[in-house]
Amino acid sequence: MDAEDWRGRWTEGRTGWHEPEGNAGLQAAWPPLTDNTHVLVPLCGKSPDLLWLAKRGHEVTGIELSKIAVRDFFVENAIKYKLVKGDCLDCYSAVDLPLTLYCGDYFEYSGSGFDALYDRGALVALPPDLRERYIEHTKNLLRPGASRMIVTLEYDQAVVSGPPFSVPAEEISGYWDDLVCVSKKDDIDNCPPKFRAAGLTDVKELVWFSA
Ligand SMILES: C[S@@+](CC[C@H](N)C(=O)[O-])C[C@H]1O[C@@H](n2cnc3c(N)ncnc32)[C@H](O)[C@@H]1O
């Protein structure tokens, strides 16, 4: 899927990955980081996880291609924002919360020094060739020793194609060898209908965290 495909999914309301109650893995396993930790949330959609992290006292920055997703996030959560248009990305800053969403291509985003990464639905949204580029870019945005939580999926990629893609454990260790799997649960009920239609019966959601 390219940028137009993703924007098209938002225009058509085909956003089956969206979790209205937020991600259970995040809520169960997010560590007690200090309040002003600056958390990077790549490819954030309009996830309630953004708000959950901000309400924990963290400073949250998300990056999302779709203007519909970004605006829906603020409107649906009744959060006032200020918009500053940029050359590559537009910046939407919440007025009463430490939360900023940049609307545009993640690979054009150039921040630095983030203390933590929260990735749900980002790495798994990308095909293998783009995943390497995504990890390199993300590493450049994080400070050394930053905390990282990544939510991934595992299933038989030979049965059905992504997105969302299956990302094997060896691939995760190849990116960061200090990540450990802190939870692994059945996710067949939450997966795209095309997975079940293709005959998949085993889909797992894994939560990885830096040790
Ligand atoms: C599978 S969704 C996950 C959204 C969110 N993380 C969640 O858990 O609900 C992937 C999101 O990434 C966005 N996206 C895809 N490519 C992107 C890119 N290059 N830069 C920024 N956002 C991108 C899509 O528009 C989509 O909202």
Side-chain angles (χ1 to χ4, degrees):
M1 293 204 359
D2 62 16
E4 280 321 298
D5 295 326
W6 284 110
R7 289 197 188 96
R9 293 287 291 260
W10 281 101
T11 305
E12 294 157 18
R14 294 171 54 227
T15 55
W17 62 78
H18 180 68
E19 296 182 306
E21 305 305 323
N23 184 263
L26 168 71
Q27 293 164 23
W30 186 253
L33 301 174
T34 53
D35 273 4
N36 52 1
T37 295
H38 195 175
V39 185
L40 171 69
V41 188
L43 283 61
C44 60
K46 60 171 185 177
S47 171
D49 297 341
L50 295 158
L51 195 51
W52 189 88
L53 288 164
K55 285 186 172 170
R56 296 277 293 215
H58 301 322
E59 184 179 346
V60 179
T61 296
I63 300 97
E64 166 57 45
L65 262 180
S66 164
K67 194 191 285 187
I68 293 176
V70 171
R71 294 207 167 166
D72 279 1
F73 173 80
F74 286 102
V75 170
E76 289 172 11
N77 293 295
I79 300 170
K80 286 189 193 140
Y81 63 88
K82 284 186 184 149
L83 166 61
V84 177
K85 290 202 173 266
D87 289 339
C88 296
L89 297 100
D90 294 337
C91 177
Y92 294 70
S93 309
V95 172
D96 300 319
L97 276 173
L99 193 153
T100 303
L101 299 191
Y102 286 89
C103 185
D105 184 357
Y106 180 59
F107 296 102
E108 303 270 354
Y109 175 69
S110 58
S112 65
F114 283 90
D115 305 302
L117 166 72
Y118 172 63
D119 169 335
R120 185 264 168 187
L123 188 66
V124 298
L126 302 172
D129 54 330
L130 260 191
R131 293 207 286 271
E132 296 217 355
R133 190 174 162 214
Y134 166 83
I135 294 289
E136 278 316 303
H137 185 59
T138 301
K139 283 182 177 177
N140 287 332
L141 300 177
L142 300 177
R143 69 162 171 77
S147 304
R148 285 141 288 144
M149 179 179 282
I150 305 183
V151 182
T152 62
L153 293 176
E154 268 185 11
Y155 62 87
D156 187 350
Q157 194 74 92
V159 174
V160 66
S161 61
F165 293 92
S166 179
V167 182
E170 315 80 71
E171 186 176 325
I172 297 288
S173 330
Y175 296 142
W176 276 300
D177 62 9
D178 61 338
L179 290 180
V180 291
C181 179
V182 293
S183 115
K184 184 171 185 172
K185 70 174 180 72
D186 287 328
D187 206 35
I188 190 75
D189 294 337
N190 203 28
C191 72
K194 71 174 179 180
F195 281 21
R196 287 185 293 276
L200 267 188
T201 52
D202 186 19
V203 178
K204 296 278 191 294
E205 182 188 80
L206 292 84
V207 179
W208 299 87
F209 191 69
S210 46

